[in-house]
Each structure stands twice: as structure tokens, then as C-alpha cells.
């Protein structure tokens, strides 16, 4: 089975890559049409049964443009089709545009008994059977709302809380309103903040690495309670992979982004071909902006300066660039002068010049993550004295310099997946006296016993 999330912003290349990867194939072609032809031919010639599921289809898709042989009728000897395609959409109209409409079917809401079974599996014995029946009824058979409300009651079974939930459910109509209500029932501000981070810091439907959340949450001053992540996850979906990932449904992501924006946390979408500088400058005009996030955006130009005095988190993750595409985008020298309260900075696919004053103004920065960034001088990071978490990934530096040893509050250092990384300057690691985590997978090859001794 191959399941691909199509999402509202249809990206043919990403869908092609996901299908190929899940079938264990590799697409070396760069042209979309060539990739489609290769995928089309491979799917027709495969000798095993394959079910391709395209989830969250928002508009009619020409499947052959992707490389999916719609209408392909090749069968095995037992008259079973080799390839089956399942499209999932909220719109009957979208699915009605395909010729094979007699096979369309609706996914109905849960029956009351099915909803009650799901509710009981989450909450257990509520000892208030009449209230439980009424609460389940108000969830209207929607699994997402049953799960959200069930998890709220799981952590507080008191009669007064159950009555409050029921009363609020009577006054709320629609899935979005009920999901907002379930957010309000999260038990602490830290848990609520982490939940909103899940929406602001990732695209709808994407898997969210718990390690990624921990690094960002640590920088934001969360996790004073060791159960914060676990409690926030009650409104997330299991990624279906392992406990290293969680996933937020499209509906929940939409609701969470709406809540986050009301609190100054902005998730920015930059359409392909748009002027990213103009989009970001428009966003910066919003008062009380605290979180600015661009995930896989078409970032082609940056403002000269971010003037957002309350900004605490910046994520600028440029979409993956092919070798033939421009990789020269660079942070302007005065870019961070107006964001001196910044605590978390995550950059992807953006070059960092060696100007010493570029980062020196970020006196409160706790988490710095750099992915696919070119650093002329890695030593400029030494001025970030409050830094607790530092991550490099697919960056092109060769030597971890002496200056990194000045980061005496550093708890986590991740140097994984940096293929050019060859040398750790002696007496750097030993000076990081608060270091708890050191990652160097697919990067540094141990050549010196002296460096190992520094870890003791």
C-alpha cells in the first residue's frame, strides 16, 4: 500500500517522490514529465499488487501527469487487478469528475455505538454513564471530536468538569468549534503552547518529529513539566510510523493555525512565483507578532530587516533546491536587528554571511537550527551565550572551531548529516560542561582518542 497526502497546494514533484520512495524506487530524472513517464512505466510493469491511496484531494488531478496509470486494467492470472487507486476527498464534485464514478462511496459518521466504543477506549470507565451517553451524542459521530473530547475527560473525570464539557458542547456547533473547545480544555499553558507550535512549525498532514518539537520547545521555555509533550499529543494523530513522530490532521491543523494567529503566531504560505520579501513585509505589519513560520516556502528574497520587537520564534525553511536552481539567497546583515527577543531560529536553504554583528544582537537565543545552510564563518555563533540547543544538518563546514567552546550553556549539539565535517578542534567538547546530547551520525569519523576522552 502506498498512501500519499496530496494537500491543498498540489505539488506534483513531491507526490511523485513520495510514491517512488514508498515503493522502494528512486527517481533520478529532474524533469516532471520524464519523472511521470518513468513512474507510469514502473507502475505498469510491477509484478506485485499495489494499492495507491491519494488522500486530501482538493481538486481534480490529471493522474497521468503525476505518473499514475488511471484506467490501467492489467490483471493477474486470478483476475485480480495489479494496481488499484483510491482517491479520498471531502468533495463529491471532485470525485465525480473521474469516469469510474460507480465505484465512489461515502464514509459515513460513526454510529452511536461505534462512537461510544471509541470514547470508552480512550476514557475508560467514566462511572457517569448518562453523562457519557450525552457527551458522545454531542460529538456527532465524528472520530476526531470523539477523540479530542475523550482525551480531555481522560485527564479530568470529575462531575463538575464533565458537566462543563457537556454544557459547552450544547452551545458549540460544527467540528471546528468543538475542536477549539477541546483545545481550551488542555490543562496548562505550556501544553497549549506546544500544541500550537505543532501547527505553526509544520505543514498540514506532515509528520512532526518529536525531537524537532523538543528542540523548539526547549528554546521557548516549555517542558517545565515532563508530561507536556504527552499531554499535547492527545489532540494529535499517531503518525503510523513510530513514537518518534506525531501527526496533525488537516482539520485540526486548520483550527490550530486559526487559534495561533489570534495570539500573534503566524504560519505564512508563499505561493510559487510570489515575491517573498513583499509577503514577509506584509506579515511583519501585524501587531504583537510573536511567531513567524515559513515551511517549504518559495523564498526568493528577504527583507533587509525584521522589525518585530515581540518576535520569539522564526522559522524560514526554503523548499529544497535542485542543483541547477539558485542557492545564493543570503541573510541581509541587518536582518535580526529588530528581533532582539528572539529565542528560536530555524533556517533552511539560506546562506549566512561572516558579518560578526549578524547574530550578536540575538542575546536571548536558546535554539539555533541550520539545515542546508552555507556558513562562511561558523565562529560567529560564539556570541550566542544563552544557546542551549545547536543543530547543523547538511551544512558545508569542515571544522568545528574553538569558538564553539564558548557556548557554556549548550545542552544539545547535533552535527549529523554534514558530509564535509572532518575535524573537531581539541578542547572544544570538554569546555561544554553542560552538554547532555551529542549527535554526529553520517558526519564525523572518529580519528582521535583525545576527542573521545573529552566526552568523559
Amino acid at each position: 500500500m502506498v498512501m500519499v497526502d496530496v494537500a491543498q497546494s498540489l505539488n506534483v514533484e513531491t507526490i511523485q517522490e513520495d510514491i517512488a520512495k514508498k515503493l522502494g524506487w528512486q527517481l533520478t530524472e529532474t524533469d516532471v514529465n520524464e519523472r511521470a513517464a518513468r513512474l507510469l512505466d514502473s507502475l505498469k510493469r510491477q509484478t506485485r499488487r499495489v494499492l495507491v491511496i491519494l488522500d486530501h484531494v482538493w481538486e481534480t488531478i490529471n493522474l497521468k501527469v503525476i505518473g499514475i496509470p488511471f484506467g490501467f486494467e492489467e490483471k493477474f492470472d486470478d483476475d485480480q487487478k495489479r494496481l488499484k487507486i483510491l482517491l479520498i476527498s471531502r468533495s463529491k464534485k471532485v470525485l465525480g469528475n473521474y469516469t469510474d464514478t460507480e465505484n465512489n462511496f461515502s464514509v459515513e459518521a460513526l454510529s452511536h455505538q461505534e462512537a461510544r466504543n471509541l470514547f470508552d477506549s480512550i476514557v475508560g470507565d467514566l462511572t457517569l454513564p448518562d453523562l457519557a451517553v450525552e457527551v458522545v451524542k454531542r460529538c456527532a459521530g465524528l472520530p476526531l471530536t470523539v477523540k479530542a473530547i475523550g482525551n480531555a475527560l481522560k485527564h479530568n473525570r470529575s462531575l463538575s468538569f464533565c458537566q462543563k464539557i457537556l454544557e459547552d458542547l450544547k452551545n458549540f456547533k460544527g467540528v471546528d468549534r468543538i475542536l477549539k473547545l477541546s483545545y481550551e480544555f488542555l490543562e496548562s499553558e505550556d501544553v497549549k503552547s506546544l500544541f500550537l507550535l505543532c501547527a505553526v512549525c509544520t505543514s498540514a498532514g506532515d509528520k512532526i518529529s518529536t525531537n524537532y518539537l523538543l528542540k523548539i520547545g526547549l528554546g521557548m521555555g516549555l517542558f517545565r513539566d515532563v508530561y507536556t509533550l504527552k499531554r499535547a499529543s492527545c489532540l494529535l494523530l499517531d503518525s503510523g510510523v513510530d513514537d518518534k513522530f506525531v501527526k496533525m490532521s488537516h482539520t485540526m491543523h486548520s483550527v490550530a493555525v486559526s487559534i495561533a494567529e489570534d495570539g500573534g503566531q503566524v504560519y505564512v504560505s508563499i505561493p510559487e512565483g510570489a515575491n517573498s520579501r513583499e509577503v514577509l513585509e506584509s506579515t511583519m505589519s501585524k501587531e504583537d507578532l510573536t511567531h513567524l513560520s515559513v515551511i517549504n516556502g518559495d523564498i526568493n528574497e528577504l527583507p533587509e530587516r525584521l522589525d518585530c520587537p515581540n518576535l520569539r520564534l522564526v522559522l524560514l525553511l526554503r523548499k529544497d533546491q535542485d542543483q541547477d536552481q539558485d542557492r545564493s539567497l543570503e541573510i541581509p546583515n541587518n536582518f535580526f536587528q529588530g528581533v532582539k527577543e528572539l529565542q528560536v531560529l530555524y533556517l533552511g536553504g539560506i546562506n549566512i554571511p561572516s558579518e560578526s554583528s549578524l547574530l550578536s544582537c540575538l542575546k536571548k537565543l536558546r535554539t539555533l537550527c541550520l539545515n542546508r545552510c552555507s556558513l562562511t564563518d561558523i565562529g560567529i555563533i560564539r556570541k550566542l551565550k544563552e544557546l542551549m540547543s545547536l543543530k547543523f544538518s547538511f551544512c558545508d563546514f569542515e571544522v568545528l572551531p574553538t569558538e564553539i567552546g564558548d557556548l557554556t550553556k549548550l545542552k544539545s549539539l547535533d552535527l549529523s548529516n554534514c558530509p564535509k565535517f572532518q575535524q573537531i578542534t581539541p578542547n572544544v567538547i570538554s569546555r561544554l560542561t553542560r552538554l547532555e546530547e551529542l549527535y554526529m551520525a553520517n558526519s564525523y569519523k572518529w580519528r582521535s582518542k583525545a576527542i573521545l576522552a573529552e566526552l568523559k
Side-chain angles (χ1 to χ4, degrees):
M1 182 187 78
V2 176
M3 188 166 186
V4 177
D5 198 318
V6 174
Q8 216 161 352
S9 54
L10 179 64
N11 187 315
V12 173
E13 291 183 44
T14 300
I15 297 171
Q16 291 172 333
E17 195 68 38
D18 285 348
I19 293 173
K21 187 180 295 183
K22 290 176 181 179
L23 288 170
W25 302 337
Q26 186 174 6
L27 294 176
T28 56
E29 297 81 1
T30 57
D31 180 77
V32 173
N33 294 327
E34 291 178 1
R35 289 158 65 95
R38 166 83 182 282
L39 199 57
L40 192 74
D41 182 62
S42 298
L43 283 169
K44 283 184 176 181
R45 290 191 296 106
Q46 48 78 33
T47 57
R48 52 180 170 161
R49 293 188 180 94
V50 175
L51 171 62
V52 176
I53 302 175
L54 300 183
D55 197 6
H56 293 101
V57 179
W58 293 82
E59 59 186 77
T60 304
I61 305 170
N62 185 339
L63 298 177
K64 290 188 178 180
V65 169
I66 297 172
I68 299 175
F70 184 66
F72 179 61
E73 295 294 335
E74 188 69 30
K75 299 180 180 180
F76 287 108
D77 293 339
D78 59 3
D79 205 37
Q80 292 294 312
K81 289 185 179 180
R82 288 185 183 179
L83 178 67
K84 292 186 178 181
I85 303 165
L86 177 62
L87 306 178
I88 302 175
S89 176
R90 297 183 188 182
S91 170
K92 288 184 178 180
K93 182 179 179 181
V94 167
L95 296 181
N97 290 329
Y98 294 93
T99 56
D100 198 16
T101 55
E102 66 271 13
N103 289 323
N104 289 355
F105 59 91
S106 299
V107 178
E108 305 295 340
L110 300 177
S111 67
H112 178 77
Q113 188 57 53
E114 289 171 331
R116 180 62 192 270
N117 291 342
L118 175 59
F119 180 83
D120 289 345
S121 70
I122 297 169
V123 181
D125 184 8
L126 195 58
T127 68
L128 300 166
D130 293 339
L131 271 175
V133 169
E134 192 61 25
V135 167
V136 171
K137 180 181 177 181
R138 294 289 173 178
C139 289
L142 301 172
L144 195 57
T145 58
V146 172
K147 181 180 177 182
I149 298 300
N151 275 296
L153 287 169
K154 180 179 180 179
H155 297 292
N156 188 342
R157 299 164 177 263
S158 68
L159 175 61
S160 60
F161 186 66
C162 291
Q163 289 173 331
K164 175 173 173 51
I165 281 188
L166 181 56
E167 191 61 33
D168 286 337
L169 282 172
K170 290 178 180 178
N171 296 325
F172 279 73
K173 303 295 182 183
V175 177
D176 288 3
R177 298 291 302 277
I178 293 176
L179 293 180
K180 283 186 178 181
L181 176 64
S182 65
Y183 163 79
E184 293 298 330
F185 287 138
L186 290 173
E187 57 194 279
S188 75
E189 291 305 312
D190 276 3
V191 174
K192 289 179 179 179
S193 295
L194 182 61
F195 171 71
L196 295 182
L197 276 180
C198 293
V200 173
C201 297
T202 191
S203 300
D206 285 352
K207 293 184 299 182
I208 310 168
S209 163
T210 53
N211 189 39
Y212 171 69
L213 287 177
L214 286 168
K215 280 182 167 57
I216 294 176
L218 180 67
M220 300 298 292
L222 304 178
F223 303 118
R224 288 167 288 191
D225 180 343
V226 296
Y227 296 107
T228 299
L229 181 57
K230 182 176 181 181
R231 288 167 178 164
S233 68
C234 70
L235 292 181
L236 304 175
L237 300 176
D238 185 358
S239 71
V241 181
D242 53 41
D243 58 4
K244 295 180 181 179
F245 296 91
V246 289
K247 188 175 182 180
M248 184 176 280
S249 74
H250 284 251
T251 303
M252 184 61 82
H253 185 273
S254 175
V255 170
V257 166
S258 173
I259 296 171
E261 287 182 347
D262 289 341
Q265 303 180 32
V266 179
Y267 176 90
V268 181
S269 175
I270 300 180
E272 188 170 349
N275 186 304
S276 58
R277 176 175 179 165
E278 293 178 358
V279 174
L280 291 172
E281 286 177 341
S282 173
T283 302
M284 287 190 298
S285 66
K286 298 179 180 179
E287 296 182 3
D288 300 324
L289 185 66
T290 61
H291 296 53
L292 175 62
S293 173
V294 181
I295 308 294
N296 291 328
D298 189 18
I299 306 175
N300 45 52
E301 187 180 2
L302 293 170
E304 286 299 314
R305 175 185 169 109
L306 290 177
D307 283 310
C308 306
N310 297 312
L311 204 59
R312 297 172 59 212
L313 177 146
V314 169
L315 273 75
L316 297 176
L317 305 183
R318 199 181 184 198
K319 69 179 181 181
D320 290 349
Q321 303 291 300
D322 294 330
Q323 290 184 352
D324 296 334
Q325 290 180 296
D326 177 29
R327 291 181 179 226
S328 62
L329 184 66
E330 190 170 270
I331 294 284
N333 289 338
N334 295 319
F335 190 69
F336 297 115
Q337 292 297 322
V339 290
K340 296 183 179 180
E341 296 296 314
L342 200 65
Q343 295 175 318
V344 174
L345 175 60
Y346 202 135
L347 300 177
I350 303 174
N351 297 338
I352 300 175
S354 57
E355 175 61 44
S356 60
S357 63
L358 177 66
L359 299 177
S360 61
C361 60
L362 302 179
K363 305 292 186 184
K364 298 184 179 182
L365 197 68
R366 296 176 181 172
T367 293
L368 175 62
C369 300
L370 303 175
N371 180 33
R372 298 179 291 109
C373 294
S374 176
L375 294 90
T376 306
D377 178 14
I378 192 176
I380 65 172
I381 294 172
R382 70 183 182 277
K383 296 186 178 181
L384 304 176
K385 302 299 184 182
E386 296 298 313
L387 209 60
M388 300 170 67
S389 179
L390 175 60
K391 175 181 172 62
F392 299 97
S393 181
F394 297 102
C395 295
D396 58 2
F397 66 93
E398 297 180 3
V399 179
L400 190 68
T402 303
E403 291 87 346
I404 296 298
D406 295 340
L407 305 175
T408 55
K409 293 187 178 182
L410 202 63
K411 292 184 177 182
S412 176
L413 177 59
D414 192 340
L415 306 167
S416 300
N417 301 309
C418 294
K420 294 184 179 181
F421 177 38
Q422 296 181 12
Q423 181 182 347
I424 299 176
T425 305
N427 301 318
V428 170
I429 301 298
S430 61
R431 290 162 58 201
L432 303 175
T433 56
R434 298 190 185 182
L435 195 66
E436 298 174 2
E437 300 175 343
L438 177 61
Y439 302 95
M440 291 189 286
N442 304 318
S443 290
Y444 183 73
K445 295 181 180 179
W446 296 102
R447 297 184 179 91
S448 171
K449 292 183 180 179
I451 298 296
L452 287 172
E454 292 187 40
L455 295 172
K456 293 182 180 180

